[in-house]
Amino acid sequence: MSGELQDYLADFARAAEAGGLPAKAPGANWVSFTPIIRGSHVSLSVARDQIQVNLNNENDFDRKQFDRLYASRHEIEAEAGEGLIWEKKDGRKKTAIRVTLESGYEDDDWAGQHAWALEMVSRFHRIFGRRLA
């Protein structure tokens, strides 16, 4: 992991904590948050030119969580204020729902990116929290 990426993730984790979103210690290219329910959590993943906020359903082998959420996708996307990427991840027990910003840690606007990501993390917790609980 590059020093710049490490700095980016550390800055984001501090901003999340300051904003009342307790973040776990950064990983290789991500920061995750407290699970919404067992096996489902929100995370931020970062690349040079892309940032994603993700709902990760780690134990969705039967796709029931994904299918239930997907049935409400129009309402969920309206609440998110963004189009979402819906990934079943065939052959794996994990499903994911993502929103992407086409900007990354190599860009200069970390504060703007962090503000966007923190807003999306908050929205994901609100939107999916009541649907998964």
Side-chain angles (χ1 to χ4, degrees), residues 28 36 39 50 52 64 117:
I36 294 173
Q50 188 177 74
Q52 290 184 321
K64 285 183 181 178

Side-chain angles (χ1 to χ4, degrees), residues 3-125:
E4 189 174 21
L5 177 55
Q6 288 175 328
D7 291 345
Y8 186 98
L9 294 170
D11 285 355
F12 176 79
R14 282 190 293 277
E17 291 283 340
L21 295 168
K24 296 184 178 184
N29 70 327
W30 70 89
V31 174
S32 62
F33 296 88
T34 305
I36 294 173
I37 61 170
R38 184 182 172 127
S40 294
H41 70 278
V42 176
S43 69
L44 169 83
S45 55
V46 181
R48 285 185 171 91
D49 58 355
Q50 188 177 74
I51 300 164
Q52 290 184 321
V53 174
N54 315 289
L55 172 69
N56 303 289
N57 296 307
E58 301 293 340
N59 298 312
D60 198 13
F61 58 91
D62 60 5
R63 304 300 190 251
K64 285 183 181 178
Q65 281 180 323
F66 181 90
D67 291 341
R68 188 165 36 94
L69 294 169
Y70 190 77
S72 300
R73 72 187 173 282
H74 299 296
E75 180 182 322
I76 290 169
E77 289 182 351
E79 289 180 53
E82 303 260 356
L84 303 177
I85 301 163
W86 298 79
E87 295 182 358
K88 279 192 176 184
K89 297 186 173 279
D90 292 336
R92 296 179 60 195
K93 64 181 180 176
K94 178 181 176 179
T95 60
I97 302 167
R98 308 179 191 285
V99 62
T100 301
L101 179 66
E102 298 299 331
S103 184
Y105 72 87
E106 286 192 340
D107 297 331
D108 293 333
D109 186 22
W110 287 11
Q113 294 168 9
H114 291 171
W116 174 86
L118 291 170
E119 176 60 29
M120 293 312 302
V121 168
S122 294
R123 287 183 193 182
F124 269 42
H125 274 280

